[in-house]
Amino acid sequence: MTAEPLIVGTRDLRRALLATLPHADHDLESDATRIRFEVGTVNITVCATDRLSSVALAIVSVHDVGAFAGQTFDLGVEEVKKILAVHKPRRGSRGDESDQDAEEILSLQLGADDASLETRDVSGLFPGDEALIVPTLTPTDLFPDVPGYIGEAVHAHDRDGVEYRGRALAVFPPRLAVFHAASKAYGAPLGLRLIARRVDWDAPARHSLLITVGDSFIGLVRLEHPDAENDVHPEVLAAWDGWLDRLPQEAARPWEKPEATEPAQDSSPDDDAPPADAKRHLQPV
């Protein structure tokens, strides 16, 4: 058991857990069915991935790191849900959760042999009477290095560029929908950036969508490259060709004044005919 607990903000921890939880693999037999906590000197890095399509990372500020610095521990999906259910933010004086009169804080402390985690509300003058104790998961080296994976992808993109060139990309909606939780948790929009990662210099770069929410959440979702020869979503390419044939090449711009042209001279003009530019007056001015 660590001598001193780790002190964090309740709201900050909840946001990180809500943002990363949807990205955890929910297959009970998978090593990725967990949320990883990596404790630094000023932040906790909360990581999750389904190992197939997305990775997610959120930052929690640390009030007091205690003896936790440098430690890593994992919690199961159900244990994270229990923490979210028990440690809910109180409502402020106006009855709004976002209007808090005082910051609420939690203490986190690992049990004997790091086999459990105790969470306790220590806001105000006196700590809470009840503690929530949840088991931790046995550490595994099979869980990927999420911060390293995202960092390598971001810096490789910054070095090599996008190399996009209009190539078709595909992604299924559920892979993007999991990022809505981060936007909702932090109350901020999703920042999007197309990034490339070159694995083989003789092959085209592979692309991912980098998604950020403020300075507390970052994640990646893998994009697929439709390929008719290899039967990878060829319908995407066929639909694109259809749109090219279906859509006009230029947009109509009724607000632009047409160039003046000399009217054709009629040898026998009709005095009752409308002026040549009469139709123009029917257009919006």
Side-chain angles (χ1 to χ4, degrees), residues 108-147:
L108 311 178
Q109 190 162 23
L110 288 172
D113 299 325
D114 298 342
S116 64
L117 177 72
E118 176 186 296
T119 64
R120 185 187 298 269
D121 185 353
V122 292
S123 307
L125 296 176
F126 306 101
D129 294 331
E130 296 183 2
L132 173 65
I133 300 177
V134 295
T136 60
L137 295 177
T138 303
T140 174
D141 293 333
L142 296 178
F143 189 84
D145 177 12
V146 172

Side-chain angles (χ1 to χ4, degrees), residues 75-95:
L75 292 179
V77 170
E78 294 304 317
E79 284 64 44
V80 169
K81 291 180 180 179
K82 290 178 182 178
I83 292 175
L84 290 170
V86 171
H87 298 296
K88 295 181 178 180
R90 301 187 186 95
R91 296 182 180 274
S93 58
R94 295 198 303 267

